[in-house]
């Protein structure tokens, strides 16, 4: 699944009487449009796009078909086609909530979150009950660090569509993955798990919610439950690199570095530019004393994702700790601090409990560094 905001829950009721009375071309257009919406709701974006194309072939003045087809292209990563369809939709729909919603998805996917919020504000001015717009705006706000605003938007999405599984998942994510802002650094397992479980109850195909349940279990040290959930997520979506990444991290914590590495390799086969998979694989290899390979993986992480400097410096510190090189460890911890790695309470707490530094915890320089980042 592309992003947490992309699943769409619009239900269109097409009356049989309309098909009887409408001209043949209009009947065909409405039939393909209805089928396309069904595929779109089920995240079958390729099939949905094909059906929207068929609908357009019978009526190329229907702006909503262009708007929806643009969303399919966005979620399939075809931004050129998306931009062309958005231009067509703009010419036909003008000032329209669905048009603004499509642009909101476009800007979110392009990581231009401020523009996304601007157009989604317009969508909600046109239709203040548009749950999908609240959900998409919540995603944009969360991405900008506005967790309070994101939680409000996800709550509104659920208010206007209480069967909106993705909104429940995103609400749980805003609570769970941003603890320093949302809950002052304290894990809120209960409320997050409620949201993720509700999402799965409403939509068993929402695989990411199962992954998120696995993460909650992991942090509660419920390893058996965590493995059950992540395995279910992988069965649900075997092409999702994030899920193999998550299972690899769980395997690492279960002290199974070989199995962890196998999962990180699978994640990279699905997404060769997955920087964090290289980071975690490097750490796992360090535990097996495969230090040269570990450093190579960390170098590769920065090549494919240069914004991971903090994570890579921290991982290099763990490698140095395994090698017993105290001075190198402190050097890379300081580099990680300069890169902003320790800017959250959660990062500091995780560092103090990280087993990779177990042999260094009694060293004066390690203690001095811990005191510096408190």
């Amino acid at each position: 699944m592309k992003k947490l905001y992309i699943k769409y829950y619009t239900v269109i009721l097409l009356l049989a009487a309309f098909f009887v009375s409408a001209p043949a071309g209009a009947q065909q257009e409405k039939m393909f449009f209805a089928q396309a919406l069904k595929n779109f709701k089920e995240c079958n974006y390729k099939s949905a796009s094909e059906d929207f194309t068929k609908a357009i072939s019978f009526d190329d003045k229907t702006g909503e078909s262009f708007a929806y087809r643009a969303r399919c292209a966005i979620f399939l990563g075809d931004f050129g086609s998306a931009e062309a369809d958005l231009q067509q939709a703009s010419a036909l729909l003008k000032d329209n909530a669905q048009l603004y919603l499509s642009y909101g998805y476009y800007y979110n996917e392009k990581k231009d979150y401020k523009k996304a919020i601007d157009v989604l504000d317009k969508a909600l001015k046109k239709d203040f009950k548009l749950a999908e717009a609240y959900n998409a705006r919540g995603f944009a706000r969360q991405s900008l660090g506005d967790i309070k605003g994101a939680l409000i938007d996800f709550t509104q999405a659920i208010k206007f569509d209480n069967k909106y599984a993705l909104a429940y998942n995103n609400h749980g994510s805003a609570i769970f993955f941003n603890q320093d802002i949302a809950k002052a650094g304290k894990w809120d397992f209960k409320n997050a798990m409620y949201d993720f479980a509700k999402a799965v109850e409403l939509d068993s195909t929402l695989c990411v919610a199962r992954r998120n349940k696995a993460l909650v279990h992991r942090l509660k040290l419920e390893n058996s439950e965590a493995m059950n959930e992540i395995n279910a997520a992988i069965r649900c979506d075997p092409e999702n690199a994030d899920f193999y990444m998550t299972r690899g991290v769980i395997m690492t914590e279960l002290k199974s570095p070989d199995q962890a590495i196998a999962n990180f390799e699978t994640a990279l086969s699905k997404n060769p530019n997955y920087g964090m998979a290289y980071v975690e694989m490097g750490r796992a290899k360090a535990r097996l004393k495969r230090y040269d390979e570990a450093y190579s993986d960390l170098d590769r992480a920065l090549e494919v994702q240069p914004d991971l400097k903090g994570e890579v410096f921290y991982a290099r510190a763990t490698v140095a700790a395994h090698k017993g090189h105290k001075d190198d460890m402190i050097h890379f911890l300081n580099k990680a601090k300069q890169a902003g790695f320790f800017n959250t309470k959660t990062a500091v707490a995780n560092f103090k409990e990280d087993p990779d530094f177990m042999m260094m915890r009694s060293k004066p320089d390690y203690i001095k560094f811990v005191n510096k980042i408190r």
Side-chain angles (χ1 to χ4, degrees):
M1 186 173 291
K2 284 283 296 174
K3 286 278 188 183
L4 294 182
Y5 58 84
I6 65 178
K7 195 162 185 184
Y8 195 69
Y9 282 84
T10 301
V11 178
I12 301 295
L13 299 177
L14 296 174
L15 301 178
F18 176 84
F19 286 114
V20 171
S21 60
Q27 289 182 27
Q28 294 288 339
E29 187 271 333
K30 295 298 181 183
M31 180 182 72
F32 284 119
F33 186 80
Q35 179 61 40
L37 280 178
K38 179 177 181 296
N39 283 324
F40 187 86
K41 174 186 173 182
E42 295 171 355
C43 295
N44 296 325
Y45 299 120
K46 186 173 185 297
S47 296
S49 180
E50 292 169 354
D51 285 330
F52 284 126
T53 298
K54 291 174 184 176
I56 290 168
S57 72
F58 286 99
D59 183 358
D60 62 0
K61 302 301 181 186
T62 304
E64 286 198 356
S65 288
F66 285 105
Y68 279 106
R69 192 172 70 175
R71 291 179 212 174
C72 293
I74 291 165
F75 302 150
L76 291 170
D78 183 0
F79 293 106
S81 296
E83 289 161 3
D85 277 343
L86 286 171
Q87 288 180 0
Q88 289 283 351
S90 297
L92 294 166
L93 292 175
K94 307 296 183 184
D95 188 24
N96 178 279
Q98 292 297 331
L99 172 65
Y100 294 134
L101 178 58
S102 294
Y103 271 106
Y105 286 136
Y106 173 79
Y107 288 126
N108 268 346
E109 197 68 16
K110 298 286 281 187
K111 298 184 179 181
D112 192 342
Y113 301 118
K114 291 183 179 179
K115 282 189 178 179
I117 290 170
D118 287 343
V119 293
L120 291 165
D121 285 346
K122 293 179 181 179
L124 289 166
K125 284 182 181 178
K126 299 300 295 183
D127 183 356
F128 74 93
K129 294 183 178 181
L130 190 57
E132 297 85 0
Y134 286 110
N135 186 58
R137 191 174 68 179
F139 179 87
R141 285 177 164 172
Q142 182 174 355
S143 299
L144 291 173
D146 179 10
I147 307 307
K148 183 178 179 180
L151 285 168
I152 291 171
D153 274 343
F154 295 138
T155 300
Q156 286 293 94
I158 293 167
K159 173 184 175 181
F160 291 114
D161 184 354
N162 63 8
K163 296 189 183 301
Y164 197 169
L166 192 64
Y168 279 103
N169 179 77
N170 290 352
H171 188 272
S173 296
I175 294 172
F176 187 68
F177 294 113
N178 297 277
Q179 294 303 314
D180 297 299
I181 301 172
K183 290 291 179 180
K186 298 179 181 178
W187 297 109
D188 187 351
F189 296 121
K190 182 178 178 181
N191 287 324
M193 184 61 90
Y194 170 83
D195 284 336
F196 298 145
K198 185 68 175 179
V200 172
E201 174 191 329
L202 289 169
D203 183 0
S204 62
T205 69
L206 189 56
C207 314
V208 71
R210 292 190 181 276
R211 189 282 304 272
N212 291 341
K213 288 180 69 179
L215 293 175
V216 176
H217 286 305
R218 170 198 159 211
L219 286 173
K220 293 176 71 177
L221 303 179
E222 297 168 349
N223 293 323
S224 177
E225 292 88 345
M227 286 302 299
N228 287 339
E229 289 294 348
I230 195 58
N231 287 337
I234 288 172
R235 288 194 298 271
C236 176
D237 184 2
E239 296 304 311
N240 193 308
D242 289 338
F243 298 168
Y244 294 99
M245 171 71 173
T246 300
R247 189 164 68 179
V249 171
I250 294 171
M251 288 292 186
T252 298
E253 293 176 352
L254 291 174
K255 297 181 171 57
S256 299
D258 287 311
Q259 294 183 56
I261 290 167
N263 277 277
F264 297 139
E265 288 175 340
T266 302
L268 288 164
S269 74
K270 309 294 181 185
N271 179 5
N273 295 319
Y274 200 159
M276 278 306 300
Y278 281 111
V279 170
E280 292 297 336
M281 187 161 65
R283 294 186 62 180
K285 288 178 179 177
R287 294 183 179 100
L288 295 172
K289 302 186 186 306
R290 293 159 56 179
Y291 301 125
D292 289 343
E293 292 178 59
Y295 283 128
S296 178
D297 287 336
L298 296 176
D299 288 342
R300 182 62 179 152
L302 279 183
E303 288 175 13
V304 300
Q305 203 169 337
D307 61 343
L308 289 178
K309 286 183 179 179
E311 289 80 358
V312 169
F313 288 137
Y314 182 83
R316 283 184 174 275
T318 68
V319 178
H322 280 289
K323 295 177 72 175
H325 293 175
K326 175 180 62 67
D327 291 343
D328 285 347
M329 177 193 75
I330 295 299
H331 169 74
F332 285 119
L333 286 174
N334 279 313
K335 295 283 283 185
K337 181 179 182 295
Q338 292 170 10
F341 183 80
F342 294 104
N343 284 352
T344 67
K345 294 178 183 178
T346 301
V348 174
N350 289 343
F351 163 61
K352 287 156 63 173
E353 297 175 5
D354 193 332
D356 285 336
F357 296 102
M358 185 176 299
M359 301 301 294
M360 293 289 182
R361 288 176 185 163
S362 62
K363 304 294 184 183
D365 287 347
Y366 174 89
I367 295 169
K368 181 179 178 181
F369 182 81
V370 170
N371 290 333
K372 183 166 64 173
I373 62 173
R374 277 179 176 168

